[in-house]
Amino acid sequence: MMDAMGLLGADALYIDEIKDRHSAGGRIYDPTGRPVADIRPARQHRLLAQRNWRVVVADTLVLTVTDPRNPGRDRFEVLDPSGARAAVVAVKYRSRDQIVKVNGEVLTTSQTTEGLSARTALNAISGRGEAPTQTVTWAQDGRVAARLTTRISVAPTRQRLDLAPDLPVRLRAVVIGSVIIRNLKADKIDTRPDLTDFF
């Protein structure tokens, strides 16, 4: 049975990658492969891209990711179960790096691409090696708070999220929301290279 602490108390999670905002959603799993939460669109519409996503544990809302209409600004929000804003997430257009502000606390992300040497690429093509991966790190005051590892693939994949054991529950929820935001970023256009003034 799914419970909120199975989601927010785990130091490692696997998250279905959502590459299309018309998607029906996905799931979050513990390291054993047991589902611990669902990622659901707030509403379904055949023609309109989804702008609000909910993370639900056993029909209990844990957080909502929303994409407010902000012309000229690429800014998402993570809402707590009551609908109050838990974090603002600004996303850089080209790199998809994030600046996450949580009640005055700032988490920033950086991404590195691993396993893209010619040898690895050749092995991946020939089927003898593993697919290349991309790693995204959330840091606070120079300390790693969370790390996301994704296999580089055209099709959606299951991503691994590792969280620092002492990361507070409220920041765990925000990081999970930030992963969903990162996956949905491809549909957004940002015209501002410096996003620090969003806050």
Side-chain angles (χ1 to χ4, degrees), residues 124-170:
I125 291 170
S126 66
R128 292 192 300 270
E130 295 183 0
T133 61
Q134 182 178 65
T135 302
V136 179
T137 301
W138 282 260
Q140 183 178 33
D141 299 327
R143 178 178 171 274
V144 173
R147 180 171 286 120
L148 180 73
T149 304
T150 307
R151 289 191 309 275
I152 299 174
S153 170
V154 175
T157 186
R158 195 171 289 177
Q159 308 165 288
R160 180 181 172 104
L161 178 64
D162 292 288
L163 301 129
D166 60 347
L167 193 66
V169 167
R170 59 192 175 81

Side-chain angles (χ1 to χ4, degrees), residues 18 20-21 53 76 180-188:
I18 300 172
D20 183 352
R21 291 200 295 178
W53 293 81
F76 294 78
I180 297 169
I181 289 167
R182 178 178 170 75
N183 290 340
L184 299 172
K185 172 63 182 70
D187 289 340
K188 294 276 289 180

Side-chain angles (χ1 to χ4, degrees), residues 3-19:
D3 63 87
M5 285 315 296
L7 173 68
L8 299 178
D11 293 335
L13 296 166
Y14 287 89
I15 301 177
D16 285 339
E17 187 177 20
I18 300 172
K19 289 190 173 184

Side-chain angles (χ1 to χ4, degrees), residues 79-92:
L79 310 178
D80 69 17
S82 72
R85 188 168 68 188
V88 176
V89 182
V91 188
K92 296 182 179 180

Side-chain angles (χ1 to χ4, degrees), residues 1-196:
M1 181 177 177
M2 295 190 289
D3 63 87
M5 285 315 296
L7 173 68
L8 299 178
D11 293 335
L13 296 166
Y14 287 89
I15 301 177
D16 285 339
E17 187 177 20
I18 300 172
K19 289 190 173 184
D20 183 352
R21 291 200 295 178
H22 295 277
S23 165
R27 276 193 152 176
I28 303 175
Y29 309 82
D30 69 14
T32 70
R34 181 178 66 96
V36 292
D38 291 312
I39 305 168
R40 300 176 183 170
R43 64 181 184 277
Q44 288 283 6
H45 193 291
R46 290 189 305 111
L47 301 178
L48 298 178
Q50 182 57 235
R51 303 189 70 88
N52 298 288
W53 293 81
R54 294 175 176 158
V55 174
V56 178
V57 174
D59 292 324
T60 299
L61 181 65
V62 176
L63 65 95
T64 300
V65 168
T66 183
D67 179 9
R69 297 187 185 278
N70 294 301
R73 291 191 168 189
D74 201 0
R75 189 179 74 181
F76 294 78
E77 295 178 354
V78 178
L79 310 178
D80 69 17
S82 72
R85 188 168 68 188
V88 176
V89 182
V91 188
K92 296 182 179 180
Y93 174 48
R94 289 179 178 83
S95 67
R96 291 199 290 171
D97 284 356
Q98 298 176 347
I99 302 171
V100 184
K101 187 165 184 181
V102 190
N103 297 328
E105 298 180 78
V106 176
L107 297 171
T108 59
T109 70
S110 62
Q111 60 184 22
T112 59
T113 302
E114 300 175 343
L116 289 182
S117 67
R119 179 176 181 182
T120 302
L122 179 61
N123 286 346
I125 291 170
S126 66
R128 292 192 300 270
E130 295 183 0
T133 61
Q134 182 178 65
T135 302
V136 179
T137 301
W138 282 260
Q140 183 178 33
D141 299 327
R143 178 178 171 274
V144 173
R147 180 171 286 120
L148 180 73
T149 304
T150 307
R151 289 191 309 275
I152 299 174
S153 170
V154 175
T157 186
R158 195 171 289 177
Q159 308 165 288
R160 180 181 172 104
L161 178 64
D162 292 288
L163 301 129
D166 60 347
L167 193 66
V169 167
R170 59 192 175 81
L171 292 185
R172 288 169 179 263
V174 168
V175 169
I176 291 168
S178 298
V179 171
I180 297 169
I181 289 167
R182 178 178 170 75
N183 290 340
L184 299 172
K185 172 63 182 70
D187 289 340
K188 294 276 289 180
I189 297 175
D190 170 33
T191 58
R192 300 172 62 98
D194 182 5
L195 303 180
T196 55

